[in-house]
Amino acid sequence: MILQAAGIHKSYGATPVLAGVSLLVNERDRIGLVGVNGAGKSTLLRILAGELEADSGSVTRSKELKIGYLAQNDRLAGHRTIWEEMVSAFGPLVEQEKELKQLEARIGDPAEQADEKRYAALLAQYADLTERFRAAGGFEMENRIRSVLHGMGFGGFHPDTEIASLSGGQRTRLALARLLLTQPDLLLLDEPTNHLDIETLEWLEQYLRNYAGAMIIVSHDRYFLDAVVTSIVEIERHAAARYTGNYTRYMEQKAAEFELSVKRYEAQRQEIAKMEDFIRRNLARASTAGRAKSRRRALERIERIEKPQAARQASFSFQTERKSGKEVLQVYGIAAAPAPEMEPIFRNFSLEVRRGERVAFVGPNGIGKTTLLRALVGELPLKEGSVRWGAGVSVGYYDQRQSGLNPANTVLDEVWNAYPHLAEAEIRTVLGNFLFSGEDVKKTIASLSGGEKARVALAKLMLKRANVLVLDEPTNHLDLLSREVLEAALDEYDGTLLFVSHDRYFLNRLADRIVELSPDGTAQYLGNYDDMLRKKREQAEWDHSGEERRGKPAGSDASDMPTAPGAASYEAEKQARREQRARVRKIEQAEAEIARLEAQIAALEEEMASPEISVDYVKLREKQAQIDELRPKLEEAYAAWERLVEE
């Protein structure tokens, strides 16, 4: 055990955040800390790091425990260079290196060499310090710095680059790089995946998997959590519960737990109903009154199970007002820049998109993905080329910067001003589905968190009913539950999707084509993120085996490259994927209809079994008539489902 938190309570004013949270951390533990936005994850990390005092409870740390804490959007400042900042992470080693250089200068001094005894002592001192410096990793210091800088996306930066010249996201990444170099016994990382592109995410995952210390990580990146952590601690309703396994395993356990708690609740309800019925029927009879009173005392002693409540989550869907033409978008050799006065950051980009496609754009930070989307929707002028949208296309654009939100507006006004023809009640209903209820709708946009702003922007986008959605990092700032709801809504969407995302779960669920942007140009891959990785591995293996057969260095001859599929086979594969996705969507809709009808029938049968209705012939007949009306619909739903599955 290296750290133990016991009975942690923390409130902000009258609002409780943590209530009796306990946590044990052992050496090499890899803990993912999850919970909805505002659950208290960041507060708990700050308490564990010693940066915030708990109202009550205790935190016990092992002797000489070295903790490294990275807060959300922690960023370096000052006028140091990148290299100076990274070297400063090594503290005592830097001082030892200076001392070694001083000793080296003395060793080379003829005056020191003149006194043999003193010179021998000097050499011994130098040898001792050199050994200590080597044992502490001093001679690997520069290599470690270069490795971490490269992995965190700073390989192309000059070491003398001043930190003050970097963007906020770059300074946050650099803060994480510096923290990793300090190699603490316990890493406390609050959203370390913010501002990281996929390549950097993969490097960080590998680094943390091999890390010698323990770690507690807050992240909304499910792919990252699955790759790195071995247990999950969930903060829910101010308390904490621990689950063994990664994020996917936690979700399975959580679902099983909820199902079991529902069954226990229903079983107790039925038992209580039976006891109450027995008491009611037997209390008035002299022969059975004693048994009824005994049963009533037993009933009073029962500890009632609260009805299980699923976590409150957003609920919405994206609909289209009309269908677009088959040819949705044609892009010919475009070049664009983030601002009109700047040089283009990409050139000669071409693309064709057909109705119903789901195209994802990926690539390293700074390659121009956001610039591309803004150019496609007309927010930026083109330097070269042309963009042509097809017939009947209506475009909805989600901007990760939320620049379309007016900070002075209330939540209600922000949405209502965009859709003034809708009734206030309808706007409030939509906002309620996005978790803005009651007085929440009167909050100003400026006062909202990043996740709340994202939900407002998504509410506006949903009401537009566009048949093409262009989304720039739509999962940023959303908690895990909200991401899953958004994915489900977009999965049901029957329009066309163009999106940028670093969320690999999101890419896997929604993309049917990936366009990868790189400094060398673009590459397209049919399928999702995992399909892209598999095709890259296959290509690399083919290249390697081909070069071995020819006995030539890799890349020396392009004549044996595999033949690219022709346009006809490419379109056929795309069409097959679209048809498969449509079939899967219809099967899911059929299953949802079956579940809905079965739930209605079960609810009616439960009502018929209740003591109040079981003796009321008129109500029983009404309920039975409703069931008789639903059963043919259920049979039709099953038949439709079977046809779809057979297809």
Side-chain angles (χ1 to χ4, degrees):
M1 188 274 289
I2 59 173
L3 182 145
Q4 184 173 23
I8 299 296
H9 286 75
K10 183 65 182 177
S11 299
Y12 293 112
T15 306
V17 178
L18 303 173
V21 169
S22 296
L23 177 66
L24 180 69
V25 184
N26 293 311
E27 291 180 348
R28 297 280 299 174
D29 267 355
R30 277 114 169 79
I31 299 170
L33 191 59
V34 303
V36 299
N37 287 341
K41 304 184 294 295
S42 297
T43 297
L44 180 58
L45 281 194
R46 291 182 65 198
I47 291 171
L48 298 181
E51 294 207 351
L52 183 68
E53 285 291 326
D55 297 335
S56 61
S58 63
V59 177
T60 306
R61 303 173 183 88
S62 63
K63 190 177 181 182
E64 297 181 357
L65 176 68
K66 185 179 177 184
I67 294 177
Y69 170 56
L70 181 80
Q72 271 192 56
N73 298 317
D74 224 350
R75 55 185 61 170
L76 297 175
H79 297 287
R80 280 177 171 172
T81 65
I82 288 177
W83 190 261
E84 287 169 344
E85 189 64 55
M86 295 302 101
V87 168
S88 72
F90 290 89
L93 278 179
V94 176
E95 294 304 314
Q96 285 183 19
E97 188 176 41
K98 288 179 182 176
E99 193 176 344
L100 279 173
K101 288 178 180 177
Q102 291 169 357
L103 289 173
E104 286 168 1
R106 289 178 61 191
I107 288 170
D109 186 350
E112 294 284 357
Q113 296 172 7
D115 186 329
E116 289 186 12
K117 188 174 181 181
R118 188 170 64 184
Y119 188 65
L122 187 62
L123 289 175
Q125 182 185 356
Y126 179 78
D128 178 61
L129 183 58
T130 300
E131 177 56 28
R132 284 190 283 121
F133 186 71
R134 184 201 60 75
F139 291 113
E140 291 84 43
M141 184 167 56
E142 289 193 5
N143 285 338
R144 281 178 55 200
I145 291 174
R146 289 193 179 92
S147 174
V148 170
L149 284 177
H150 180 79
M152 292 300 292
F154 292 97
F157 285 69
H158 194 281
D160 291 336
T161 302
E162 285 199 1
I163 291 170
S165 69
L166 301 178
S167 70
Q170 288 169 335
R171 282 182 280 150
T172 298
R173 277 193 287 132
L174 201 63
L176 175 56
R178 187 189 185 284
L179 181 64
L180 295 178
L181 287 171
T182 64
Q183 293 192 309
D185 306 309
L186 173 61
L187 279 169
L188 303 177
L189 304 177
D190 196 353
E191 292 291 357
T193 58
N194 284 353
H195 310 291
L196 302 187
D197 55 36
I198 290 176
E199 186 179 354
T200 310
L201 276 169
E202 290 171 345
W203 179 88
L204 181 61
E205 286 169 359
Q206 187 61 38
Y207 185 94
L208 292 178
R209 278 199 294 265
N210 296 325
Y211 191 73
M215 60 193 71
I216 303 176
I217 302 172
V218 173
S219 178
H220 292 153
D221 188 321
R222 295 152 290 178
Y223 208 102
F224 180 80
L225 289 173
D226 271 352
V228 174
V229 307
T230 55
S231 63
I232 294 286
V233 172
E234 180 192 38
I235 300 181
E236 185 179 28
R237 298 183 179 92
H238 318 308
R242 188 162 183 162
Y243 300 82
T244 301
N246 62 12
Y247 180 78
T248 297
R249 178 67 184 129
Y250 146 75
M251 288 297 289
E252 292 167 354
Q253 294 176 75
K254 183 80 173 169
E257 262 186 18
F258 184 76
E259 186 178 345
L260 182 60
S261 64
V262 169
K263 287 180 179 177
R264 286 173 175 163
Y265 170 75
E266 293 295 342
Q268 189 185 67
R269 275 186 64 202
Q270 291 177 11
E271 181 62 25
I272 288 171
K274 287 179 183 177
M275 293 174 75
E276 288 174 340
D277 182 54
F278 179 88
I279 293 165
R280 186 170 48 254
R281 286 186 291 103
N282 293 281
L283 192 59
R285 298 178 187 175
S287 59
T288 57
R291 288 167 57 200
K293 288 177 181 177
S294 175
R295 192 71 59 90
R296 185 166 61 187
R297 286 193 295 272
L299 181 62
E300 289 169 354
R301 288 195 299 270
I302 289 178
E303 188 175 340
R304 304 293 175 110
I305 299 172
E306 286 188 22
K307 185 176 182 179
Q309 298 290 334
R312 185 169 173 249
Q313 61 186 43
S315 172
F316 54 92
S317 63
F318 292 97
Q319 306 293 329
T320 57
E321 197 165 38
R322 64 179 186 273
K323 186 179 281 190
S324 70
K326 287 186 178 179
E327 301 297 332
V328 168
L329 176 64
Q330 292 177 319
V331 182
Y332 303 104
I334 67 169
E341 69 277 4
M342 295 175 67
E343 285 295 309
I345 55 176
F346 63 83
R347 293 183 183 275
N348 199 32
F349 179 85
S350 298
L351 180 72
E352 291 189 0
V353 180
R354 293 171 65 86
R355 184 178 64 218
E357 280 198 287
R358 290 141 180 252
V359 183
F361 301 97
V362 302
N365 288 336
I367 202 68
K369 302 184 296 296
T370 293
T371 299
L372 173 62
L373 292 195
R374 294 181 66 200
L376 294 181
V377 300
E379 278 202 358
L380 289 173
L382 298 177
K383 300 282 188 176
E384 299 168 9
S386 63
V387 172
R388 190 173 75 190
W389 291 97
V393 166
S394 60
V395 178
Y397 175 51
Y398 178 90
D399 176 9
Q400 65 163 312
R401 302 165 302 159
Q402 314 298 0
S403 58
L405 302 180
N406 185 339
N409 277 344
T410 65
V411 171
L412 179 63
D413 288 340
E414 179 65 31
V415 179
W416 205 0
N417 289 350
Y419 300 95
H421 60 285
L422 298 179
E424 181 181 353
E426 189 172 351
I427 297 291
R428 283 180 174 271
T429 298
V430 168
L431 288 173
N433 289 338
F434 283 84
L435 305 183
F436 294 103
S437 56
E439 294 299 304
D440 291 341
V441 302
K442 296 180 181 178
K443 292 179 179 178
T444 63
I445 298 296
S447 70
L448 301 181
S449 67
E452 289 170 328
K453 287 177 183 175
R455 295 203 305 272
V456 173
L458 288 170
K460 291 174 68 176
L461 185 66
M462 186 193 80
L463 287 168
K464 189 167 185 179
R465 299 173 67 86
N467 54 35
V468 177
L469 295 180
V470 180
L471 312 174
D472 190 6
E473 295 287 3
T475 59
N476 276 6
H477 307 296
L478 295 180
D479 59 37
L480 292 164
L481 279 178
S482 297
R483 289 183 182 212
E484 288 163 8
V485 171
L486 175 61
E487 282 171 7
L490 291 173
D491 201 25
E492 292 291 320
Y493 176 62
D494 61 3
T496 305
L497 283 177
L498 304 174
F499 61 95
V500 168
S501 181
H502 293 146
D503 186 329
R504 290 159 291 173
Y505 261 81
F506 192 81
L507 290 167
N508 270 340
R509 182 163 183 180
L510 294 175
D512 57 23
R513 179 160 45 125
I514 290 184
V515 178
E516 184 179 34
L517 286 71
S518 73
D520 300 323
T522 61
Q524 297 195 35
Y525 302 88
L526 282 178
N528 60 17
Y529 175 75
D530 284 346
D531 292 329
M532 180 185 76
L533 292 184
R534 186 181 67 254
K535 288 171 184 176
K536 280 186 167 187
R537 283 194 298 269
E538 289 170 356
Q539 181 66 54
E541 289 167 4
W542 192 96
D543 288 343
H544 181 68
S545 61
E547 297 303 336
E548 282 186 341
R549 285 195 304 273
R550 292 193 298 274
K552 297 177 182 178
S556 64
D557 190 350
S559 62
D560 288 327
M561 288 289 284
T563 304
S569 62
Y570 179 79
E571 288 299 326
E573 189 176 348
K574 284 205 297 184
Q575 181 62 27
R577 283 183 176 277
R578 281 196 292 271
E579 290 172 358
Q580 174 63 11
R581 192 172 66 247
R583 280 194 295 271
V584 170
R585 190 178 297 119
K586 287 178 181 177
I587 289 171
E588 290 173 347
Q589 289 170 348
E591 289 172 345
E593 178 65 6
I594 288 170
R596 185 183 68 81
L597 292 168
E598 286 181 337
Q600 287 182 331
I601 291 171
L604 288 167
E605 288 175 340
E606 187 175 344
E607 288 179 33
M608 291 173 70
S610 67
E612 296 82 6
I613 293 179
S614 62
V615 294
D616 188 327
Y617 177 72
V618 175
K619 286 186 178 178
L620 276 175
R621 190 168 58 182
E622 287 175 359
K623 301 294 180 186
Q624 187 60 53
Q626 292 174 20
I627 291 173
D628 292 342
E629 188 179 333
L630 289 171
R631 287 202 184 281
K633 294 180 181 178
L634 180 59
E635 290 172 8
E636 288 174 15
Y638 267 115
W641 177 80
E642 287 171 359
R643 284 195 301 272
L644 288 167
V645 171
E646 286 171 3
E647 289 174 7

